[in-house]
Amino acid sequence: MVRDQADELAELRRRQVAANPGDAYAWHNLAAALNDRNDRREALWAAQKALELGLDAAETWVLMARAHRGLGQLDDAEAAYGNALCRRPDLFVARQELAQLIWRRSGDVTRALEVLPYSEHDGAPRILAQRVSLLEAAGRLAEADREVSAAL
């Protein structure tokens, strides 16, 4: 998103919150806009406000995780992704970002892959693509090839 557009969207979301301070969705939308601008501290505050107002949505937890990650609070980010997945186990973006966080923090591709379960019967090509990407980044090319071959 272009910086001017991100600024405009954040300002619009601030006006919506000001007009409806009890609207959890307005706070969620503000958190998303602030994350897009890399205003992580304020995005975290807005996401927490959305949760306080009763919006216990997986997507709100993902916004919290992104804010924590951007602030370098990696344990909190990992926990927030976990909360997102407790609410929506099928939320791909939470799985993808959590796997990347685990991989970048620890270099433990096996643990990162545990977040991305794949079955050839579940029809999840995005999961497979992410698994293959992690395996390739870890230099486990033969294993990546086996995963792709098994899916074909």
Side-chain angles (χ1 to χ4, degrees):
M1 180 177 290
V2 177
R3 183 70 181 183
D4 289 342
Q5 290 174 326
D7 291 342
E8 287 176 26
L9 182 58
E11 188 54 39
L12 171 67
R13 299 301 187 210
R14 285 183 210 283
R15 287 193 304 271
Q16 290 171 338
V17 163
N20 299 294
D23 182 348
Y25 291 97
W27 285 99
H28 170 96
N29 291 337
L30 176 59
L34 292 168
N35 262 325
D36 288 345
R37 286 186 40 187
N38 295 318
D39 291 339
R40 305 301 186 190
R41 211 167 294 290
E42 197 173 356
L44 180 59
W45 171 73
Q48 288 169 331
K49 187 69 176 169
L51 289 169
E52 288 171 16
L53 291 169
L55 183 59
D56 191 20
E59 294 81 0
T60 305
W61 284 101
V62 168
L63 293 174
M64 285 191 67
R66 289 174 179 166
H68 280 303
R69 189 184 67 216
L71 292 168
Q73 301 165 346
L74 303 182
D75 289 339
D76 291 332
E78 195 167 326
Y81 282 124
N83 280 322
L85 290 169
C86 284
R87 283 145 185 84
R88 272 199 52 208
D90 64 333
L91 187 58
F92 174 73
V93 69
R95 289 194 177 282
Q96 178 185 35
E97 292 178 16
L98 176 56
Q100 289 173 350
L101 176 64
I102 291 168
W103 162 244
R104 288 181 184 143
R105 284 185 80 181
S106 68
D108 187 348
V109 73
T110 302
R111 185 165 165 250
L113 290 172
E114 290 172 0
V115 177
L116 296 165
Y118 178 78
S119 162
E120 61 190 69
H121 305 292
D122 70 5
R126 293 183 304 172
I127 295 276
L128 176 63
Q130 186 64 36
R131 289 178 63 84
V132 169
S133 178
L134 282 171
L135 289 166
E136 288 174 343
R140 292 165 57 175
L141 302 179
E143 196 173 341
D145 287 344
R146 280 193 301 275
E147 291 226 6
V148 171
S149 295
L152 296 177

